[in-house]
Amino acid sequence: MGKLVVNQDKIPSIDELIKICPFGAMENNGGKVEINSGCKMCKLCVKKGPVGAVEFIEEEIIEIDKSLWNGIAVYVDHVEGEIHPVTLELIGKAKELASKINHPVYCIFMGENIKDKGEELLHYGVNEVFIYDDAELKDFRIEPYTAVFEDFINKVKPTAILVGATTIGRSLAPRVAARFRTGLTADCTILDIKENTDLVQIRPAFGGNIMAQIVTPNNRPQLATVRYKVMSAPKRNAEASGKISICEISKDKLASNINVLNVIPKEKETGISDAEVIVAVGRALKSEKDLSMIKELAELLNGEVAVTRPLIESGWADAKRQVGLSGRTVRPKLIIACGISGAVQFTAGMNNSDYIFAINIDEKAPIFKVAHYGVVGDIYEIIPQLIEQIKLSREA
């Protein structure tokens, strides 16, 4: 990175210099040239302006000592000690990354009365679980949770931290990243690590049209959030390994301007995130009433109905049933894609399914590139036949 420096005494004509900028990023402020936020760093003012009037100065990059940072840490997302499954998925990925650089795997677990719950994590190959157990951490409040995270990082110095992209994770990770002036990549779909411990964070960008590869080589720790169902959880070992470390933090650091008066449990919903069978439909559906045949197929298979974004925008389904980059990530045993073209925005949310069965009238549709099985045909002809065959097989 660098910056532009304006040498006022070397500008013969302010108006002529300002005209050079095609973005209108230079202003005359009381006889002085100032550069505003419209600057694109094209450097035309340096190249075409009066000699020495505007200079581009490279900022000195202070390289950090990466050897001081050791370990891959996972934030334990939970509700009253009940660990969210995304935590186990991140432990699996952390173990994979750590094995490449010979680093340990840590977990940071904060809450109240959670010491016994931390033992469960040792069955998944974690080297050490750092537990912060305090009454002030019973309910999630951003100030004390950030303070605990800061204390953990300062003590342990993990080179990378993985956080689940849950409601709490999406709130906590940016605050921690800002406190340590480090980078944070949200909703990563692929994670890898270099020999020098630089975390390679890959995620869709520009509406899913490209896969951006992001690294933060001069900042530690490195933070990334990952959605539920993107990574694979490791198998639970019968025997526990690793150790539990109980951590203390001063009470004054747990002070908060938020007081939790009451917590009302949310009713559990049956959604697509945990469904083992999903029947998904796209813009091939001609009318809202035609969703009935999709629902019938899903019910026969004990599955859930999912949709793509066009159907959400049409108001035909709840947004919680959308699969894709702007919806939910799913990983069912079987997904049937009915009349879905297979744009990357959709496939990025379901391509880790065990079996993908696609029905599309266009034999060149991208969905067939990710599908394990496919039928070229009209969903209005295929699905009724499929429903009929399932009913006949059950009667037999």
Side-chain angles (χ1 to χ4, degrees), residues 9 23 40 138 178 185 223 270 294 300:
D9 58 328
F23 304 105
K40 309 297 182 185
K138 178 181 178 181
T185 304
L223 273 84
T270 303
I294 304 298
L300 286 170

Side-chain angles (χ1 to χ4, degrees), residues 88-334:
L88 304 182
E89 294 178 1
L90 294 181
I91 289 173
K93 175 52 69 171
K95 288 172 64 179
E96 178 190 321
L97 297 173
S99 66
K100 294 183 177 181
I101 55 175
N102 196 28
H103 277 214
V105 175
Y106 304 129
C107 280
I108 171 173
F109 197 180
M110 59 185 89
E112 184 187 32
N113 297 326
I114 56 171
K115 294 177 183 178
D116 294 339
K117 304 286 185 178
E119 296 283 348
E120 175 63 18
L121 297 169
L122 298 180
H123 288 275
Y124 293 90
V126 175
N127 295 95
E128 191 170 358
V129 180
F130 294 84
I131 294 180
Y132 290 80
D133 197 323
D134 195 286
E136 295 297 325
L137 301 172
K138 178 181 178 181
D139 300 304
F140 173 73
R141 292 178 297 168
I142 192 65
E143 302 103 318
Y145 268 57
T146 304
V148 168
F149 225 130
E150 181 182 16
D151 183 76
F152 165 76
I153 293 172
N154 287 332
K155 287 178 179 176
V156 181
K157 290 189 175 296
T159 189
I161 302 172
L162 308 184
V163 181
T166 60
T167 303
I168 289 176
R170 290 176 189 270
S171 175
L172 184 57
R175 183 71 70 101
V176 174
R179 188 157 294 190
F180 284 87
R181 296 181 177 273
T182 188
L184 166 65
T185 304
D187 292 344
C188 295
T189 55
I190 300 172
L191 291 172
D192 200 357
I193 200 161
K194 299 179 180 179
E195 290 183 3
N196 66 353
T197 72
D198 284 352
L199 186 66
V200 180
Q201 304 150 92
I202 300 173
R203 58 151 295 153
F206 293 101
N209 292 310
I210 66 168
M211 296 298 285
Q213 188 176 108
I214 302 164
V215 292
T216 50
N218 286 298
N219 297 86
R220 291 293 185 273
Q222 305 161 93
L223 273 84
T225 62
V226 182
R227 289 189 188 187
Y228 179 38
K229 293 287 185 179
V230 171
M231 306 298 179
S232 299
K235 290 183 179 180
R236 186 183 186 278
N237 300 318
E239 294 183 4
S241 61
K243 66 176 182 176
I244 298 287
S245 293
I246 305 300
C247 304
E248 300 291 337
I249 185 170
S250 59
K251 289 286 186 181
D252 61 306
K253 290 186 177 180
L254 300 180
S256 174
N257 292 318
I258 300 170
N259 291 319
V260 179
L261 302 179
N262 190 21
V263 177
I264 301 173
K266 184 180 178 182
E267 291 184 10
K268 290 188 177 181
E269 300 175 348
T270 303
I272 61 174
S273 294
D274 295 310
E276 292 192 348
V277 176
I278 292 175
V279 181
V281 65
R283 73 169 75 237
L285 204 69
K286 295 176 182 177
S287 66
E288 185 177 1
K289 64 181 179 63
D290 294 337
L291 268 171
S292 59
M293 69 175 180
I294 304 298
K295 291 177 181 177
E296 184 178 3
L297 178 58
E299 287 172 2
L300 286 170
L301 297 172
N302 295 320
E304 294 289 332
V305 174
V307 298
T308 56
R309 187 168 181 171
L311 273 65
I312 299 296
E313 293 174 343
S314 298
W316 295 357
D318 191 285
K320 293 178 181 178
R321 295 198 172 272
Q322 182 189 342
V323 173
L325 292 176
S326 53
R328 304 291 175 93
T329 300
V330 296
R331 198 170 191 163
K333 291 181 178 178
L334 169 66

Side-chain angles (χ1 to χ4, degrees), residues 8-128:
Q8 307 290 342
D9 58 328
K10 296 184 179 180
I11 303 173
S13 172
I14 292 177
D15 292 338
E16 291 299 317
L17 179 60
I18 290 175
K19 287 179 182 178
I20 293 173
C21 181
F23 304 105
M26 306 187 86
E27 301 174 345
N28 185 346
N29 189 357
K32 289 187 176 182
V33 175
E34 293 185 352
I35 300 172
N36 60 36
S37 59
C39 180
K40 309 297 182 185
M41 283 292 177
C42 66
K43 304 177 190 174
L44 280 176
C45 53
V46 178
K47 298 172 185 175
K48 296 187 176 182
V51 177
V54 183
E55 293 180 288
F56 178 77
I57 299 176
E58 287 280 1
E59 293 182 353
E60 184 182 356
I61 298 175
I62 301 174
E63 293 189 4
I64 63 169
D65 185 353
K66 296 176 184 178
S67 65
L68 299 177
W69 299 82
N70 186 65
I72 309 292
V74 173
Y75 168 70
V76 181
D77 203 305
H78 70 99
V79 177
E80 296 181 351
E82 185 178 342
I83 298 171
H84 194 291
V86 72
T87 301
L88 304 182
E89 294 178 1
L90 294 181
I91 289 173
K93 175 52 69 171
K95 288 172 64 179
E96 178 190 321
L97 297 173
S99 66
K100 294 183 177 181
I101 55 175
N102 196 28
H103 277 214
V105 175
Y106 304 129
C107 280
I108 171 173
F109 197 180
M110 59 185 89
E112 184 187 32
N113 297 326
I114 56 171
K115 294 177 183 178
D116 294 339
K117 304 286 185 178
E119 296 283 348
E120 175 63 18
L121 297 169
L122 298 180
H123 288 275
Y124 293 90
V126 175
N127 295 95
E128 191 170 358

